Amino acid sequence: MGEHEARGWIRSDETAKQMLSRVLGDRAFLLLPPLHRVPLRAGNVVEITGSSPTAKTQILIQAAITCILPKTWNGVHYGGLEKLVLFLDLDCRFDVLRLSDMLKHRLLEAYRIGNGAWWQLEESNVKTQDKSKIVYDEELYVSCMKRFLYLRCYDSLELLSTLKTLHYRIRLQEACGSQVGVLMIDSIGAFHWTDRLSSSLALDKNNRKSLSLTNVVETIVQEMKKLMQVHSLVVIATKATIYEEKYPTNENNRNISSHSDLFGNPSSKAQQPPFREFMPSSWQAFVTHKIFIRKSDDHHKSLGQQNLSAYLLEWLQPQLSSIDRFIVDDSGIVIVSKHTQILFHVSSSHAVWYCHCLMT
């Protein structure tokens, strides 16, 4: 390595003052339900596990909207984080129209709450079938969408190359005034069987080492760690279960089972997750928070009287005793009670409440 290359290698990307302001400025933040139980901060890796479909992508979309929305805009509170979201789609089934519709709903909801009586008068003058066309702040909408960076990968090698270029992409966004907040991966185990087949077909020993499933995942984890050392971000990844153990779908039965595990063997629940783990140990050690979602036997009616499937969300790491039940309607995630009564409808007003609680 020549002198020029050596100087280029040791040249810093930022000054000590910039580094301290970035690190000391990082604060824990709360996302909207159902990810509201545990505050997250830079360096956390959240894994959301569940069979398909259990609304895992919907949770990612809702968390992404909270991140890309500003806290306030033109005097209206939106309760967002105003940060960049990097969305890596490994399933190749992401619906951008769903993201757009949910974002518009949040904008209209916040505007309705912020304008009170004027909104009621305006809404009464609009025909029922045209209420969805009530104007929202288009400039704010475009600003939010610019903070959502979508990337699609078709195999593990493409995922690796994408991770290696994310630092450059983030720098471009930061030059425009956007600070990265969350890296989302949907879904981390999408290439599991392809990588296993590739490693079994590799005849040459050197190729077998490079194509090994374990080595590929280890390299992916190392690239993520490098990215997290430079940028303050949270990683949220979904994972579909391959083999799911028998698990009570009724919450009452689940509580009895948890109670027995608690008094029989305090660590049995943590040691025996309700699904069979297939990701290599390098990924499991990388994860700091684990969430498990399963479909409930119950159905609930939304505000529009639609009969919707209910889902149960449980924190496995850190282990929490509470289990959240939710449904997914046109507006997003809705937390419901056992008796089909809607307890918490996700809206920007609650986002403001959560941010206020965090600040105090």
Side-chain angles (χ1 to χ4, degrees):
M1 179 183 292
E3 180 181 354
H4 179 72
E5 289 81 2
R7 290 183 179 274
W9 183 76
I10 65 175
R11 187 177 295 114
S12 61
D13 291 331
E14 59 184 354
T15 64
K17 181 180 179 180
Q18 291 172 334
M19 185 272 292
L20 288 174
S21 63
R22 173 174 57 83
V23 173
L24 296 178
D26 295 334
R27 302 184 61 181
F29 60 89
L30 287 168
L31 295 174
L32 290 181
L35 301 182
H36 62 298
R37 296 292 182 182
V38 178
L40 301 176
R41 65 184 318 112
N44 291 153
V45 181
V46 184
E47 180 188 77
I48 304 176
T49 305
S51 59
S52 183
T54 48
K56 297 185 297 294
T57 304
Q58 296 295 322
I59 293 177
L60 290 185
I61 292 176
Q62 185 152 283
I65 291 175
T66 301
C67 291
I68 63 179
L69 276 172
K71 185 176 181 180
T72 59
W73 177 275
N74 291 338
V76 178
H77 289 271
Y78 293 93
L81 303 174
E82 200 170 355
K83 291 189 176 182
L84 177 69
V85 172
L86 308 172
F87 194 101
L88 302 185
D89 183 15
L90 311 188
D91 264 345
C92 302
R93 294 185 297 178
F94 180 76
D95 186 2
V96 68
L97 293 179
R98 176 62 173 165
L99 170 67
S100 177
D101 291 341
M102 290 178 63
L103 176 58
K104 291 177 181 178
H105 175 83
R106 287 281 296 275
L107 295 178
L108 290 172
E109 180 72 10
Y111 196 74
R112 179 185 65 83
I113 295 173
N115 289 274
W118 180 90
W119 175 271
Q120 295 179 4
L121 178 62
E122 183 71 13
E123 193 176 33
S124 63
N125 294 330
V126 180
K127 295 180 180 179
T128 303
Q129 60 271 24
D130 294 333
K131 284 186 178 180
S132 60
K133 299 181 181 179
I134 296 178
V135 65
Y136 57 90
D137 196 323
E138 188 171 351
E139 181 183 356
L140 175 57
Y141 171 80
V142 174
S143 175
C144 291
M145 292 298 287
K146 285 182 178 179
R147 286 191 285 269
F148 185 85
L149 180 60
Y150 173 81
L151 299 168
R152 178 177 291 183
C153 303
Y154 294 95
D155 54 51
S156 293
L157 296 180
E158 191 169 352
L159 173 60
L160 278 173
S161 62
T162 300
L163 290 173
K164 288 180 177 294
T165 61
L166 278 185
H167 174 69
Y168 174 74
R169 295 175 184 269
I170 293 173
R171 286 299 186 193
L172 291 179
Q173 294 291 332
E174 288 180 343
C176 300
S178 297
Q179 182 183 3
V180 65
V182 182
L183 169 63
M184 297 183 174
I185 304 177
D186 189 24
S187 92
I188 190 61
F191 310 132
H192 174 77
W193 294 111
T194 305
D195 293 338
R196 285 192 62 177
L197 179 63
S198 298
S199 74
S200 63
L201 291 178
L203 299 178
D204 184 57
K205 293 184 179 180
N206 294 328
N207 289 338
R208 177 175 296 177
K209 182 178 180 180
S210 62
L211 292 175
S212 167
L213 171 64
T214 301
N215 289 333
V216 169
V217 175
E218 286 179 354
T219 308
I220 291 173
V221 170
Q222 290 301 321
E223 290 299 326
M224 289 187 187
K225 288 182 178 179
K226 292 178 182 178
L227 194 67
M228 297 172 71
Q229 288 175 353
V230 180
H231 303 282
S232 300
L233 53 85
V234 175
V235 177
I236 304 179
T238 64
K239 183 181 71 177
T241 54
I242 295 181
Y243 300 107
E244 187 171 331
E245 303 295 338
K246 291 184 178 180
Y247 209 62
T249 55
N250 182 276
E251 188 173 357
N252 293 329
N253 294 337
R254 174 70 191 111
N255 290 336
I256 295 175
S257 176
S258 301
H259 189 272
S260 300
D261 292 340
L262 181 63
F263 286 91
N265 185 358
S267 62
S268 62
K269 186 178 176 181
Q271 294 175 352
Q272 299 178 357
F275 55 89
R276 185 176 300 179
E277 184 60 69
F278 63 91
M279 292 295 290
S281 58
S282 57
W283 170 260
Q284 297 181 43
F286 182 52
V287 173
T288 60
H289 297 67
K290 293 185 179 182
I291 296 173
F292 179 65
I293 305 176
R294 64 190 185 277
K295 197 170 184 179
S296 174
D297 291 335
D298 302 328
H299 289 76
H300 294 260
K301 289 186 178 181
S302 66
L303 295 177
Q305 298 302 313
Q306 292 178 304
N307 202 26
L308 302 175
S309 299
Y311 304 94
L312 301 177
L313 182 145
E314 181 180 4
W315 285 83
L316 302 180
Q317 183 180 334
Q319 184 177 340
L320 302 181
S321 58
S322 59
I323 299 177
D324 292 313
R325 175 185 272 109
F326 67 92
I327 60 175
V328 181
D329 63 8
D330 294 338
S331 63
I333 304 292
V334 180
I335 300 296
V336 296
S337 70
K338 300 179 181 179
H339 307 291
T340 71
Q341 179 185 3
I342 294 178
L343 287 183
F344 193 105
H345 197 287
V346 171
S347 66
S348 53
S349 61
H350 296 95
V352 175
W353 182 82
Y354 275 115
C355 291
H356 173 72
C357 290
L358 182 60
M359 296 295 292
T360 55

